Structures are given as C-alpha cells and as structure tokens.
C-alpha cells in the first residue's frame, strides 16, 4: 500500500467511524411493543418502520411506558410480579422494581417519580419510588384494578377497577381516595386530556367511553359506537389517546378491529379506521404525526397518520402484542 | 289371568326398584364419571360465546366436566347454587389435583383449563355464568333430575 492509498483508507475508516458515531445523535423515534405471549418486546424504527430488535423480557409483558425524557422504558412483567426498567438506547435491562402481584398497567408521576402500579391480584395500587425501589404506599382500591391515569399537574391519580366498574380518584398528596365514579362494565383505561379538563374512561364490556369533568368528577357524556357490518358486542373499547391540542381522541375497539376517531370538543365519533385484529392499546409518536395500535390477534401494529386519519402500514411484531410506547 | 296379574305386579315392583334405586344406592357413587361435553368459554370474534348452555344431569351419578377458556375474555366462572348441591370430588388443573369440599369460583384470567369431578346430590335448575358477563351471553344451566 502506498502512502496515498493508506491515507485514503484511513480517511474512509475515519468517515465510517464518524458515521457510526453520528447515528445515535440523529436517531429516529423508536416504538417499543410488548408481546404478551412471546415474553418479548419488539423495537420498531419509526423512520424505516422495521423491527430492529426483539428483547427478551419477564413473563407476560403488558403495560409499557417511558420516562418523561424518553430514556427509560418501564414494562410490567405480569407473571413475574415485577416492573422491569430498560435503557431505551442500549436496550439493556437496567433494574427491576417491586410491585404487588400481577401488575398490568401503571403510570409515572409527570415529574418521573413515583410510579403508580395497578396490581390486579391484590386489589391495591402500589406506589414505588423509582430511584431506590422504596415502597411509598399501598392504596386499597376496587376489585381487579387495571387502568391508570394521572392528571397533567400530577395532583390526581385515577385507577379503574375491572370488577367493581369504578374509576377511583386518588389525591396524590396523601394517597387517599377522594372520589369513586361508577362507569360501565369492565373499565380498562383512564386517560386525562393534556389540559387536565377531561378524563376519559373506556369500558370494554359496556362498550362505552365515559368522559368525566375533573372539576366535579361527574360524567359529561358516555360515548357509544356503531359500525355498519360489525356486531355491537364486538365493539369493546380499550385503548384511549387524546392529541396534545385536545382536538381528537382515538379509541381502540378490540375485536371490532377498528380505531374510532372522536372529535374531542363535540365528543362525537367522526370516523372508524380499520386496523388489525383485536386492537388493544395505542401510542403516539412524540410529534403526534403517527399513532400506533397493537393488534393482539393479527400479531402486528398498525400505523395511523393522525392528520390524514388513515392507516398507512402494518408491521408484524411478536405474538399477542399488548402495549406500545414511542420515544424520541 | 293370574299370570297377567303377576306380570303387572312384577312390572310395578321393577318400576319401584328403578325409581328408588338412587335413594338406596350403596357403594362409591363417585367412580366411573360420565364425561360431559366440554364447556368452552370465550368463543367467537367478540369473545362472549360459550360452547354449551344446558347440561342435563341426574342425582347420584358421577360426572366430569372440562372447563376451558380461550382467554379472549377474562371469566370468573360461578354457579353458587349448583356448587351447594353437588358433592365435589376434585378439580384438576394441569398436573395438579385439588381436593376441596367446595367451590366459589373458577377464574380464567387468560386461556386455560380446569376439570371438575362431581356428583349432583339435589335436583333443581342451577345457573352458571361468567360474573358480570351474563348480559353478554356468558351463562347457562345445569338441570339436575
């Protein structure tokens, strides 16, 4: 090798190194999807819409959320009775956190700490300090707690109990229940609007979504759904996501294989989008250009263009995809 | 004539014996259970379907009933009055045999199976259901004669 070619080879190698270095800085958002039956988590690159990694998790991973900075991914490993925390960049398990038995869904305080976990088997919400794994409180709620929501100011945490059919409102300053709101059968998700002025609670068996005013904790409206050619009992609302500007809400309708688009101002259903089979949970990309739905029976996720209200793609993931979160 | 009367008497006696057989049963009634049609819960697209809605049973006879759930719908399977009117021999779940004197609920949180071995001891019509899902059709009856 002469001097000239040695120099160019070195330059090429250097450029290669720089390229490798540059990738994380310019990385596109990634979606993390829990696959309940495979005990894995799929990682999807949102630029290429391809699965880039599949990570082995604890048994029966279900609820999945990210820390406010998007650097940590929290997973409920339901059958291992613990919460697992992954580094979103390295995809490595960083630590595990305590939970009560059978954690299914959870929510982080907007500050990133503590973590509120619904424990289906002992009718408690466990409050855990994510820094040191200390148990802060155990809040007795209804039978089979599931859905978990928190107001944007962090003052109120809401848990739904599947068998009691209630949304329990907890004052986070003292972890006491201040209100119990009766909703329809088998409530699944509690989701606040970003301005904190609405609380949406889906009822899977009841087939409705209750919109609640947090000023009075009264139900303003129960939204119901009708889809031509779909039996009413297949309409089973589960996942709920509301855009940051409070204009639109998206509701996953289970075996109806549709996501409903609701005008969040008028509370009227405007459209139904056909997605995969048994659509369960939903997650926005950070810029809210896209919404992803997990489709448990077709083992894929659907990509919904939020502005166009159209399904643009489906991506095969693991078996029985359950939850999804997207980080920058 | 005599013969005819004898035949009639014999017939009546036989009928009496048959009808009162169960009441005077001796020996182990829990042996050789009749396998009932399996009861599958959570069928169909919506997940509210069940494979059987009616079981006809008799007191004093041993039965086994395989319960299973697809897991599409969580099901807390209950039959309170029926549970009070049977002798429960055992419940089998996977490789485990549970011998208990009574049941209140069999809960399927996901897909799974359980097999009940029992002897009805009291006639009646008893309902079973997945708690909270009755209005969605997840219910049925045991009719015990």
């Amino acid at each position: 090798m002469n001097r000239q070619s040695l120099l160019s080879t070195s330059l090429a190698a250097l450029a290669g190194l720089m390229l490798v270095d540059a990738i994380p800085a310019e990385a596109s958002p990634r979606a993390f999807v829990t696959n309940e039956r495979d005990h894995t988590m799929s990682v999807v690159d949102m630029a290429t819409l391809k699965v880039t990694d599949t990570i082995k998790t604890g048994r029966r991973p279900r609820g999945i959320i990210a820390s406010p900075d998007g650097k940590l991914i929290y997973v409920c490993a339901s059958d291992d009775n613990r919460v697992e925390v992954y580094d979103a960049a390295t995809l490595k398990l960083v630590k595990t956190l305590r939970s009560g038995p059978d954690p299914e869904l959870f929510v982080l305080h907007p500050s990133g700490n503590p973590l509120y976990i619904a424990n289906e088997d002992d009718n408690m919400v466990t409050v855990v300090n994510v820094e040191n794994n200390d148990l802060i409180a155990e809040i007795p709620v209804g039978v089979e707690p599931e859905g978990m929501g928190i107001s944007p100011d962090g003052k109120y945490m809401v848990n739904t109990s599947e068998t009691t059919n209630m949304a329990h409102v907890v004052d986070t300053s003292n972890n006491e229940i201040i209100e119990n709101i009766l909703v329809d059968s088998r409530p699944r998700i509690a989701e606040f609007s970003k301005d904190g002025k609405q609380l949406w609670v889906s009822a899977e068996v009841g087939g409705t979504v209750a919109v609640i005013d947090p000023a009075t904790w009264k139900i303003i409206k129960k939204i119901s759904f009708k889809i031509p050619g779909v039996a009413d009992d297949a309409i089973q609302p589960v996942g709920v996501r509301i855009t940051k500007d409070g204009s639109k809400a998206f509701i996953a309708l289970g075996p109806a294989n549709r996501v409903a688009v609701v005008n969040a101002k008028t509370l009227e259903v405007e459209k139904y989008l056909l997605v995969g089979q048994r659509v369960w949970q939903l997650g926005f990309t950070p810029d809210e250009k896209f919404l992803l739905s997990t489709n448990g029976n077709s083992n894929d996720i659907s990509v919904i263009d939020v502005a166009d209200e159209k399904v643009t793609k489906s991506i095969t993931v693991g078996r029985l995809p359950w939850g999804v979160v997207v980080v920058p | 004539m005599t013969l005819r009367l004898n035949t009639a008497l014999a017939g009546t006696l036989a009928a009496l014996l048959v009808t009162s057989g169960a009441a005077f049963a001796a020996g182990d009634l829990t042996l050789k259970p009749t396998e009932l049609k399996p009861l599958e819960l959570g069928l169909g697209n919506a997940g509210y379907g069940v494979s059987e809605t009616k079981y006809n049973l008799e007191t004093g006879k041993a039965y086994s009933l395989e319960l299973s759930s697809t897991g599409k719908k969580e099901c807390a399977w209950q039959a309170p009055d029926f549970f009070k009117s049977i002798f429960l021999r055992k419940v089998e779940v996977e490789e485990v045999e549970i011998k208990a004197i009574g049941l209140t609920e069999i809960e399927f949180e996901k897909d799974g199976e359980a097999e009940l071995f029992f002897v009805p001891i009291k006639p009646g019509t008893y309902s079973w259901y997945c708690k909270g899902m009755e209005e969605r059709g997840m219910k049925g009856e045991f009719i015990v004669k």
Side-chain angles (χ1 to χ4, degrees):
Chain A
M1 197 179 272
N2 62 27
R3 209 183 182 107
Q4 186 73 44
S5 62
L6 186 67
L7 184 68
S8 51
T9 313
S10 314
L11 271 175
L14 190 65
L17 270 176
M18 285 171 73
L19 200 66
V20 168
D21 268 344
I23 285 169
E26 293 170 13
S28 44
R30 283 156 310 136
F32 290 77
V33 179
T34 47
N35 301 306
E36 183 181 351
R37 189 155 290 159
D38 278 351
H39 317 298
T40 61
M41 181 161 65
S42 301
V43 186
V44 181
D45 184 312
M46 289 308 295
T48 60
L49 299 179
K50 295 232 183 314
V51 175
T52 55
D53 293 277
T54 302
I55 305 159
K56 193 89 199 133
T57 62
R59 288 176 298 158
R60 207 181 182 198
R62 294 195 280 178
I64 182 165
I65 54 173
S67 57
D69 61 8
K71 288 184 175 160
L72 296 173
I73 305 291
Y74 293 79
V75 176
C76 283
S78 298
D79 281 359
D80 281 329
N81 303 328
R82 68 184 189 205
V83 169
E84 297 178 335
V85 187
Y86 292 85
D87 184 311
T90 65
L91 310 181
K92 295 273 183 278
L93 180 69
V94 181
K95 59 183 169 186
T96 60
L97 296 173
R98 64 162 80 221
S99 81
D102 203 4
E104 184 165 347
L105 275 169
F106 48 9
V107 69
L108 269 173
H109 190 274
S111 68
N113 199 15
L115 183 65
Y116 299 86
I117 310 159
N119 296 123
E120 190 166 337
D121 278 359
D122 67 0
N123 307 337
M124 294 267 191
V125 168
T126 306
V127 189
V128 175
N129 181 332
V130 296
E131 297 298 332
N132 57 16
N133 200 17
D134 274 355
L135 179 69
I136 297 170
E138 283 180 317
I139 309 165
V141 288
V143 180
E144 301 201 359
E146 171 144 344
M148 298 290 290
I150 195 152
S151 59
D153 60 10
K155 281 187 182 162
Y156 304 106
M157 183 273 288
V158 175
N159 159 256
T160 65
S161 55
E162 219 175 278
T163 305
T164 315
N165 299 333
M166 279 186 176
H168 310 281
V169 183
V170 173
D171 180 338
T172 56
S173 68
N174 55 14
N175 292 321
E176 299 281 344
I177 292 183
I178 57 158
E179 199 78 45
N180 294 299
I181 308 157
L182 191 64
V183 292
D184 284 339
S185 185
R186 200 158 288 187
R188 285 285 186 186
I189 296 292
E191 177 83 358
F192 278 90
S193 58
K194 295 295 173 283
D195 63 5
K197 289 187 177 157
Q198 287 177 346
L199 167 67
W200 294 50
V201 176
S202 61
E204 181 195 358
V205 174
T208 59
V209 173
V211 181
I212 294 158
D213 179 0
T216 58
W217 302 115
K218 296 272 183 277
I219 296 174
I220 310 164
K221 182 169 179 179
K222 268 188 199 169
I223 302 170
S224 42
F225 307 88
K226 273 273 174 208
I227 308 170
V230 176
D232 284 351
D233 66 0
I235 298 174
Q236 299 170 13
V238 182
V240 178
R241 285 290 178 267
I242 308 162
T243 54
K244 279 180 203 140
D245 64 6
S247 64
K248 285 181 202 176
F250 293 85
I251 319 282
L253 297 178
N257 308 335
R258 304 290 197 291
V259 169
V261 186
V262 180
N263 181 323
K265 307 279 185 212
T266 63
L267 306 182
E268 297 294 329
V269 181
E270 295 190 331
K271 213 171 186 180
Y272 295 100
L273 309 174
L274 183 65
V275 291
Q277 292 167 23
R278 205 209 69 160
V279 53
W280 207 241
Q281 299 286 357
L282 303 169
F284 282 117
T285 52
D287 59 9
E288 289 192 354
K289 276 191 183 157
F290 298 103
L291 177 74
L292 304 181
S293 74
T294 54
N295 312 316
N297 286 357
S298 48
N299 300 331
D300 57 8
I301 58 171
S302 298
V303 182
I304 297 164
D305 186 307
V306 172
D308 290 353
E309 298 176 358
K310 285 205 168 81
V311 179
T312 57
K313 196 174 168 67
S314 72
I315 306 162
T316 300
V317 289
R319 288 185 303 162
L320 206 51
W322 199 97
V324 58
V325 70
V326 192
V327 295
Chain B
M1 188 73 177
T2 318
L3 186 69
R4 207 175 277 170
L5 183 69
N6 281 347
T7 315
L9 266 173
T12 314
L13 274 172
L16 272 170
L17 268 173
V18 168
T19 49
S20 59
F24 297 103
D28 191 342
L29 298 184
T30 67
L31 295 179
K32 286 198 178 171
T34 303
E35 225 173 275
L36 296 169
K37 276 190 184 170
L39 176 53
E40 295 170 86
L41 306 162
L43 302 176
N45 177 45
Y48 296 122
V50 297
S51 65
E52 304 292 329
T53 53
K54 198 178 275 185
Y55 286 97
N56 289 300
L57 311 172
E58 283 179 36
T59 53
K61 279 194 176 176
Y63 296 97
S64 68
L65 172 63
E66 193 182 287
L67 274 176
S68 65
S69 168
T70 61
K72 282 186 184 174
K73 281 284 153 287
E74 286 173 36
C75 168
W77 193 79
Q78 296 188 353
D81 292 333
F82 181 68
F83 292 153
K84 281 185 263 177
S85 308
I86 59 172
F87 167 77
L88 182 69
R89 182 178 152 211
K90 63 176 177 175
V91 180
E92 277 191 12
V93 181
E94 289 181 350
E95 304 305 312
V96 180
E97 292 192 4
I98 301 151
K99 287 161 185 162
I101 53 166
L103 272 178
T104 53
E105 178 178 293
I106 294 184
E107 187 172 3
F108 295 95
E109 288 199 355
K110 49 184 176 180
D111 54 330
E113 280 179 18
E115 194 169 4
L116 311 185
F117 295 77
F118 61 92
V119 180
I121 53 175
K122 197 175 157 193
T125 298
Y126 306 105
S127 57
W128 62 260
Y129 46 83
C130 295
K131 196 165 183 291
M133 314 282 267
E134 299 92 326
E135 81 274 24
R136 295 288 185 181
M138 299 189 85
K139 61 179 179 180
E141 279 177 345
F142 293 107
I143 298 162
V144 181
K145 286 185 180 158

